[in-house]
Amino acid sequence: HGGQSSSGSGQYATMADTWRFDLTTLVWTQYSTDPEAPSVSSALAVSVTNSTSLIYGGRASTGKLFGRVMLFDSGSWRRLLPAGSRPEPRSGHFSAYDNAVAWMMVSHGMSWTGKLLNDTWFLDLSKGIWTCFQGTHEACPEQDDFLSPPPLAFASVVSVGVRLFVVAGMQESQGTMSATPDGWVLHTGSMQWSKLEVDKVLTTHNLSNTEGKADIQLGGGTAFDPLVYPGARTQGA
């Protein structure tokens, strides 16, 4: 769902179409046009079931950052209205979803001022409440010596079981924004981060799970050589 295209709308040429890809038949199917569908680019969609997805954040057609939670269910979109403090609107962030406890995590990304973020929030979907796990927001608890990625945006992300792999992206160093070769893995059960390493800087990239194997494959970017992460053999995650 979403993205940018020459046929998109507004200043940022954003899209509002929603598609489903059948992994058995390898066929794309477009859902009917929905006036409630968010028109966003750099959005984050988290698949929940075969017919349900969640989106938080992204950039709207006007350039304004999108701070809503949108639920796609049974072919139509509707807005969720969580209570209490909430993460600031952002793009280039990443997320995970735990179906067992019905929560969505939103973390890192870029604010409307261009500031890189490193806060982590949880949305309890059963109660409709946001809770900050760590970060600088006044609603966030202090986390002494908590290991996590530094402020980061536009990383490539893939979930493999209870692990969330976050690779490359943009970081700031001495006032300059640049691509980072770093990789991180989050164990979503214990909420513990471990750091991985990449030997090449990737500015645009694709990350995927090699189903049935212990590897995560990364390709594209400034160098098109595929890189492999030994995901199941990662220590400390």
Side-chain angles (χ1 to χ4, degrees):
H1 176 82
Q4 290 176 291
S5 169
S6 58
S7 60
S9 63
Q11 178 183 358
Y12 281 81
T14 57
M15 303 292 290
D17 51 345
T18 304
W19 294 75
R20 175 173 57 87
F21 183 67
D22 190 313
L23 293 173
T24 301
T25 62
L26 304 182
V27 173
W28 284 100
T29 302
Q30 185 176 5
Y31 285 94
S32 301
T33 302
D34 184 346
E36 298 299 320
S39 178
V40 288
S41 65
S42 302
L44 187 70
V46 182
S47 180
V48 179
T49 68
N50 290 334
S51 62
T52 306
S53 296
L54 287 167
I55 281 181
Y56 176 80
R59 191 174 295 276
S61 59
T62 59
K64 183 179 179 180
L65 289 184
F66 194 74
R68 299 177 181 177
V69 181
M70 300 293 297
L71 173 69
F72 180 75
D73 187 18
S74 302
S76 62
W77 288 94
R78 65 184 176 91
R79 183 181 179 183
L80 303 183
L81 298 171
S85 299
R86 64 198 63 195
E88 65 179 292
R90 62 192 65 199
S91 63
H93 47 296
F94 49 86
S95 183
Y97 176 79
D98 190 326
N99 188 51
V101 293
W103 58 245
M104 178 178 70
M105 180 194 78
V106 170
S107 190
H108 290 68
M110 180 181 288
S111 73
W112 71 274
T113 63
K115 177 184 177 182
L116 295 180
L117 306 170
N118 70 337
D119 53 344
T120 300
W121 293 75
F122 289 94
L123 174 59
D124 186 325
L125 294 167
S126 63
K127 298 179 180 178
I129 298 175
W130 282 106
T131 301
C132 182
F133 178 73
Q134 63 90 25
T136 57
H137 191 281
E138 60 181 10
C140 303
E142 293 185 8
Q143 294 275 9
D144 294 334
D145 300 322
F146 180 74
L147 177 66
S148 70
L152 175 71
F154 304 105
S156 190
V157 181
V158 66
S159 293
V160 185
V162 296
R163 292 179 173 87
L164 181 74
F165 286 81
V166 179
V167 181
M170 303 299 293
Q171 290 183 1
E172 185 175 354
S173 177
Q174 298 180 345
T176 301
M177 202 79 69
S178 61
T180 173
D182 292 344
W184 294 80
V185 57
L186 172 68
H187 191 293
T188 56
S190 63
M191 289 306 299
Q192 297 295 314
W193 285 97
S194 298
K195 189 175 181 181
L196 303 171
E197 296 293 339
V198 187
D199 62 358
K200 295 179 182 180
V201 176
L202 303 175
T203 54
T204 59
H205 39 271
N206 295 302
L207 184 64
S208 62
N209 176 20
T210 306
E211 186 175 356
K213 299 182 180 179
D215 298 328
I216 302 299
Q217 190 174 63
L218 179 67
T222 55
F224 281 80
D225 304 342
L227 304 177
V228 173
Y229 278 99
R233 298 186 291 274
T234 300
Q235 299 298 314

